[in-house]
Amino acid sequence: LNKRNKIDKIGIDTLFNLSDNSNIEEHKAYNDICLMIDEEIDNWHWYDKKIFNLYFKTGISMRKLASDTTISLSSIFNTISNGRGKIKKQLKKD
């Protein structure tokens, strides 16, 4: 039952096989979205930018960030949640 309920997770980078010409446009679109996200993050306040990048680019958990930086867990959670909302709002049409 446990084996049947498990879902194999595949990273988004493995979905794009560049040897196949049909996926080149999808890969370009993915790169464009990533660049737009990075541009959006660059416009934020330095604190929001640092917390968001630490969480997503390094993979450090929120609890670990809170203990290492002495910033409250609720502050880190709110910063990341607000950042996700800003990105979704700005890139909704894309």
Side-chain angles (χ1 to χ4, degrees):
L1 182 64
N2 285 338
K3 285 184 181 181
R4 190 174 36 175
N5 288 335
K6 286 187 180 180
I7 298 172
D8 293 333
K9 294 181 181 177
I10 300 173
I12 195 158
D13 294 335
T14 59
L15 292 175
F16 301 109
N17 183 3
L18 290 179
S19 63
D20 184 14
N21 290 334
S22 63
N23 288 333
I24 291 176
E25 289 182 21
E26 292 174 1
H27 188 59
K28 286 181 183 177
Y30 171 73
N31 283 338
D32 290 342
I33 293 287
C34 289
L35 290 174
M36 285 189 271
I37 290 172
D38 287 339
E39 288 173 7
E40 174 62 28
I41 292 172
D42 285 338
N43 294 329
W44 294 354
H45 187 263
W46 66 268
Y47 173 81
D48 298 336
K49 188 186 325 184
K50 286 273 193 189
I51 296 293
F52 199 82
N53 284 333
L54 275 173
Y55 179 71
F56 281 105
K57 294 191 177 179
T58 63
I60 299 173
S61 69
M62 287 188 212
R63 291 183 189 274
K64 180 78 170 139
L65 276 174
S67 66
D68 290 347
T69 61
T70 65
I71 300 170
S72 70
L73 179 61
S74 61
S75 176
I76 291 172
F77 175 79
N78 288 334
T79 300
I80 291 170
S81 295
N82 291 337
R84 283 180 180 160
K86 289 177 188 177
I87 289 172
K88 285 180 184 178
K89 185 178 177 183
Q90 290 293 349
L91 302 176
K92 188 175 186 178
K93 65 178 187 249
D94 295 324

